[in-house]
Amino acid sequence: MSRYPSCLNLPRLLLGALLNPLGMVREVGALGLAPAWWQTFLRLVLPVLLLSVVISQVLYQIIPTGLPPEAMPGVWGFGVYSVLAMSIGVLGLAWSAHYLAELFQGRGDPDRAMLAVSIGLLPAWVGKVAAAFPWPWGNGIGLLLILYSLWLLYWSLRGILGLRRGNRIGLFVATVFCGVLITLIFGWALMDLIPGATPEHRIGTTWLI
């Protein structure tokens, strides 16, 4: 197994994503050889996903939501569902970026694509935790972090995959569309397969977070 770059240290990346995102993208983009996609997934994506889900689920149990018990999904069922659904989303985005890169006159690279997607989604996973706080502050901050994450994802794809000017926005839009579509398809299937992932009464929400 190759040595994992020190600049991909998780606390450092989280801090960089919030305080100096473009500088962090430039530093990661300058890596001569990106770690294998599965290394990035196991050492960067999975720990953040697990931490995000655990913290948000604990907060949902502590902070009153104002919803009846039958409108809340099970703690363990929804936790497992969240990790699986978000993992599929990350893989869907990364492989979409990899395969679509050549369509937009770039070079497909699954390792760099996974790295770009992982860094771009860091604020969104923080937003999942923020969304567990009471409305409207929790939802508002969570939404802002998701929008910020989309902006960072664009710059990550641009800086780490290195597409030419004029093709970057096209790749970003196509990648997000394909990634969201893959997540929705598998997310709905998982929601019906995992006991406790769906509340008895949805009250107008899909619970596909």
Side-chain angles (χ1 to χ4, degrees):
M1 182 180 295
S2 60
R3 180 178 177 271
Y4 203 68
S6 60
C7 67
L8 300 183
N9 176 271
L10 180 53
R12 182 180 181 185
L13 286 177
L14 281 170
L15 192 63
L18 297 175
L19 300 180
N20 186 24
L22 298 185
M24 178 192 63
V25 169
R26 283 193 296 269
E27 182 179 2
V28 175
L31 287 174
L33 183 64
W37 67 269
W38 56 267
Q39 280 187 289
T40 300
F41 183 80
L42 292 177
R43 300 187 64 167
L44 177 58
V45 174
L46 202 55
V48 179
L49 283 185
L50 291 173
L51 190 62
S52 173
V53 169
V54 169
I55 294 176
S56 62
Q57 288 298 90
V58 169
L59 290 175
Y60 279 125
Q61 303 308 307
I62 296 175
I63 303 174
T65 62
L67 296 174
E70 62 271 16
M72 293 295 294
V75 177
W76 291 105
F78 190 66
V80 171
Y81 163 75
S82 295
V83 172
L84 291 176
M86 290 193 293
S87 296
I88 290 171
V90 172
L91 293 170
L93 282 169
W95 287 99
S96 295
H98 162 55
Y99 285 115
L100 290 169
E102 292 186 6
L103 181 64
F104 290 92
Q105 300 179 3
R107 181 174 61 87
D109 187 330
D111 299 335
R112 299 186 78 85
M114 176 61 76
L115 197 54
V117 167
S118 301
I119 290 174
L121 291 180
L122 285 175
W125 293 323
V126 177
K128 179 175 177 60
V129 175
F133 287 91
W135 189 90
W137 298 108
N139 288 7
I141 294 173
L143 179 59
L144 288 175
L145 284 171
I146 289 173
L147 295 175
Y148 176 69
S149 195
L150 289 173
W151 174 83
L152 182 57
L153 177 61
Y154 165 77
W155 282 98
S156 295
L157 291 172
R158 170 179 172 171
I160 297 174
L161 282 181
L163 279 112
R164 300 174 183 174
R165 187 183 299 274
N167 298 311
R168 298 161 181 165
I169 294 180
L171 176 65
F172 168 74
V173 172
T175 297
V176 171
F177 175 80
C178 292
V180 169
L181 184 62
I182 291 170
T183 306
L184 285 172
I185 291 172
F186 285 95
W188 278 113
L190 285 172
M191 193 161 49
D192 294 330
L193 290 174
I194 300 175
T198 308
E200 296 179 19
H201 302 294
R202 301 191 186 185
I203 309 186
T205 181
T206 64
W207 291 104
L208 184 61
I209 299 176

